[in-house]
């Protein structure tokens, strides 16, 4: 047995429930609640430095409205959500190549999308998301002192994202598509200074 081998037992349960109500034809109101767990990395090749990490867990609540129009050629959606995740991995600022497991991160936001099938095989889709993501509980040892990053925006998480896609189905089973994505500003450090 190699010197860096170890055994660990991880278990978790994921589930989701939801409701859909259609007050009129082609208009649906929906809500869902989900609880889930994720491995912190690849379970088959979990590193020795991660052997004491817990599974990442999360819960999501979402409510929204969706409608199709023009005989099903178009649809739009508007949704609000809240996601809370625990035990996520982040890069260890003091030890490059290593990871830390943070306490809790959450985000609240709204998403809107619209899509429309046009003539001659063309289709256009657009969406936007506005969110407020933050660390709820993330304290790190910096220069020998505990520093709390609670309330700060997580690293590499934009607060807005928008997309526009154009698709052309020019032959049976053949499509060409292209798009533009606009990504809001992101922080590259836990202190939100860069």
């Amino acid at each position: 047995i190699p010197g860096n081998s170890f055994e660990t037992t991880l278990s978790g349960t994921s589930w989701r429930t939801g409701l859909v109500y259609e007050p009129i034809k082609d208009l649906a109101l929906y809500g869902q609640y989900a609880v889930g767990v994720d491995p912190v990395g690849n379970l088959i090749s979990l590193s020795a430095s991660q052997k004491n990490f817990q599974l990442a867990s999360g819960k999501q609540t979402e409510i929204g409205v969706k409608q199709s129009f023009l005989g099903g050629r178009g649809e739009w959606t508007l949704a609000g959500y809240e996601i809370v995740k625990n035990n996520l991995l982040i890069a260890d600022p003091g030890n490059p190549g290593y990871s830390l497991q943070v306490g809790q991160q959450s985000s609240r936001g709204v998403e809107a999308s619209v899509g429309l099938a046009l003539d001659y095989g063309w289709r256009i889709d657009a969406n936007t998301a506005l969110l407020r993501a933050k660390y709820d509980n993330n304290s790190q040892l910096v220069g020998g002192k505990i520093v709390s990053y609670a309330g700060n925006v997580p690293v590499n998480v934009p607060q807005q994202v928008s997309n526009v896609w154009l698709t052309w189905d020019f032959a049976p089973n053949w499509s060409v598509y292209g798009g533009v994505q606009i990504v809001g500003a992101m922080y590259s450090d836990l202190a939100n200074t860069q």
Side-chain angles (χ1 to χ4, degrees):
I1 296 176
N4 63 352
S5 68
F6 61 91
E7 287 186 29
T8 188
T9 301
L10 300 169
S11 65
T13 302
S14 298
W15 57 272
R16 179 173 68 178
T17 186
L19 293 172
V20 177
Y21 173 63
E22 191 173 350
I24 60 173
K25 186 179 185 312
D26 298 328
L27 177 71
L29 307 173
Y30 69 91
Q32 72 170 357
Y33 181 77
V35 173
V37 293
D38 289 316
V40 293
N42 185 338
L43 289 177
I44 302 295
S45 61
L46 194 63
S47 70
S49 66
Q50 297 174 338
K51 69 181 178 182
N52 294 322
F53 287 173
Q54 300 172 14
L55 291 172
S57 62
K59 57 186 178 181
Q60 176 181 347
T61 305
E62 180 177 350
I63 58 170
V65 59
K66 184 171 190 157
Q67 183 177 32
S68 64
F69 57 93
L70 294 178
R73 291 180 56 189
E75 71 266 349
W76 64 268
T77 304
L78 180 63
Y81 63 89
E82 179 180 53
I83 301 171
V84 178
K85 290 191 167 189
N86 292 289
N87 301 319
L88 296 174
L89 290 186
I90 62 168
D92 184 345
N95 293 309
Y98 289 90
S99 299
L100 298 171
Q101 204 163 27
V102 299
Q104 182 173 296
Q105 173 179 321
S106 65
S107 63
R108 287 183 177 176
V110 294
E111 295 180 356
S113 66
V114 63
L116 181 62
L118 306 170
D119 293 331
Y120 307 108
W122 289 92
R123 178 178 176 85
I124 188 164
D125 292 282
N127 62 59
T128 191
L130 304 171
L131 65 130
R132 170 62 174 114
K134 65 178 180 163
Y135 290 118
D136 299 312
N137 178 6
N138 179 4
S139 297
Q140 307 295 328
L141 187 62
V142 178
K145 296 181 181 181
I146 298 290
V147 176
S148 173
Y149 297 108
N152 287 13
V153 176
V155 174
N156 296 326
V157 175
Q159 301 299 288
Q160 66 234 11
V161 178
S162 298
N163 300 281
V164 177
W165 289 95
L166 187 62
T167 305
W168 179 37
D169 297 332
F170 61 91
N173 299 316
W174 287 89
S175 298
V176 174
Y177 59 90
V180 176
Q181 183 177 57
I182 300 166
V183 179
M186 296 177 276
Y187 291 106
S188 62
D189 67 330
L190 293 172
N192 289 176
T193 59
Q194 300 177 6

